[in-house]
Amino acid sequence: DTAVSQTPKYLVTQMGNDKSIKCEQNLGHDTMYWYKQDSKKFLKIMFSYNNKELIINETVPNRFSPKSPDKAHLNLHINSLELGDSAVYFCASSQRFDGGKLFFGSGTQLSVL
Amino acid sequence: KNEVEQSPQNLTAQEGEFITINCSYSVGISALHWLQQHPGGGIVSLFMLSSGKKKHGRLIATINIQEKHSSLHITASHPRDSAVYICAVRSYFGNEKLTFGTGTRLTIIP
């Protein structure tokens, strides 16, 4: 059973489209995250949710909207996709907000054409 | 300048060699993570530490809080250790977000 699963693994779409990436964790963790990994493999936090509440919202365009229907799920919706949004997006979870080992999903490679 | 600096950026070694990857940071931290990113892209957490030393199999992680420095050591390296190793720190102040280093690409040659 995969601890943190995200879908889809690959997403190829045209500029201007709206797309969603889903993430689910079955670890019973309180905190979930979205990270973006750029073409140089640099990871950066986008959002963090703790018990469905938004805790961290880094400088991310408001075309990106996270949604946490319950603490096991954190989805990422992206409106009006741009070329610069092409990257690998990782979902992760940890037991609590102020610490704990991170568990990552397998990543979603988004290509905007 | 990035808050988290790793060295070297790239490291190639022969199988069996002892490997050291370094991480220096400039902020007060509550914890430091070492992550491994496989060639296939998946990321695995290796260690989380806030003081001292941790060991898991052939991997050892140490941290010196006063010097703001951590090292990841691999003993008896093997080609399957080839991966990108990423250091990340959790800031002590502020919103507890993780800041990542740029990674060290390790290649072990048989």
Side-chain angles (χ1 to χ4, degrees):
Chain A
D1 236 5
T2 307
V4 181
S5 57
Q6 59 181 103
T7 54
K9 189 162 174 62
Y10 300 98
L11 189 48
V12 181
T13 189
Q14 299 284 337
M15 270 177 60
N17 283 350
D18 303 339
K19 289 292 176 189
S20 292
I21 307 171
K22 294 188 175 182
C23 181
E24 176 182 0
Q25 53 97 3
N26 63 6
L27 298 165
H29 287 170
D30 284 346
T31 310
M32 295 185 73
Y33 311 83
W34 277 109
Y35 292 98
K36 180 179 179 180
Q37 187 172 45
D38 61 24
S39 57
K40 294 184 179 177
K41 303 292 187 186
F42 187 64
L43 276 161
K44 195 165 182 185
I45 182 76
M46 297 175 69
F47 300 104
S48 170
Y49 269 73
N50 188 56
N51 273 318
K52 302 193 299 175
E53 185 183 335
L54 180 65
I55 300 295
I56 295 173
N57 183 352
E58 283 297 289
T59 312
V60 176
N62 55 17
R63 297 182 295 103
F64 289 78
S65 52
K67 293 276 191 307
S68 183
D70 55 62
K71 76 173 194 176
H73 295 85
L74 180 61
N75 303 322
L76 184 65
H77 189 76
I78 316 169
N79 289 328
S80 303
L81 277 154
E82 299 178 358
L83 292 175
D85 298 331
S86 296
V88 181
Y89 294 84
F90 284 96
C91 175
S93 72
S94 64
Q95 191 161 20
R96 59 188 191 278
F97 173 64
D98 60 348
K101 205 170 173 180
L102 284 168
F103 292 80
F104 285 83
S106 56
T108 295
Q109 180 149 355
L110 172 64
S111 299
V112 183
L113 307 177
Chain B
K1 189 175 187 288
N2 202 20
E3 285 180 350
V4 183
E5 297 281 346
Q6 285 186 237
S7 62
Q9 283 190 314
N10 295 284
L11 179 56
T12 301
Q14 291 290 133
E15 183 174 355
E17 284 190 40
F18 182 80
I19 302 299
T20 296
I21 298 170
N22 297 299
C23 176
S24 297
Y25 52 91
S26 56
V27 296
I29 68 167
S30 57
L32 181 142
H33 295 252
W34 280 103
L35 311 172
Q36 179 192 53
Q37 185 164 26
H38 301 295
I43 301 175
V44 173
S45 178
L46 298 175
F47 296 103
M48 186 188 73
L49 63 167
S50 53
S51 65
K53 177 178 170 178
K54 285 193 176 179
K55 184 174 189 290
H56 182 71
R58 295 178 295 105
L59 301 177
I60 303 164
T62 63
I63 188 168
N64 184 319
I65 295 293
Q66 287 75 27
E67 294 185 5
K68 293 187 167 64
H69 181 268
S70 174
S71 292
L72 177 69
H73 304 286
I74 305 175
T75 60
S77 59
H78 190 275
R80 65 174 174 266
D81 297 326
S82 297
V84 175
Y85 292 84
I86 303 168
C87 170
V89 301
R90 186 180 295 276
S91 303
Y92 188 76
F93 301 104
N95 59 10
E96 301 273 354
K97 70 172 185 178
L98 274 186
T99 303
F100 295 84
T102 50
T104 295
R105 183 175 298 277
L106 174 66
T107 305
I108 303 297
I109 300 168

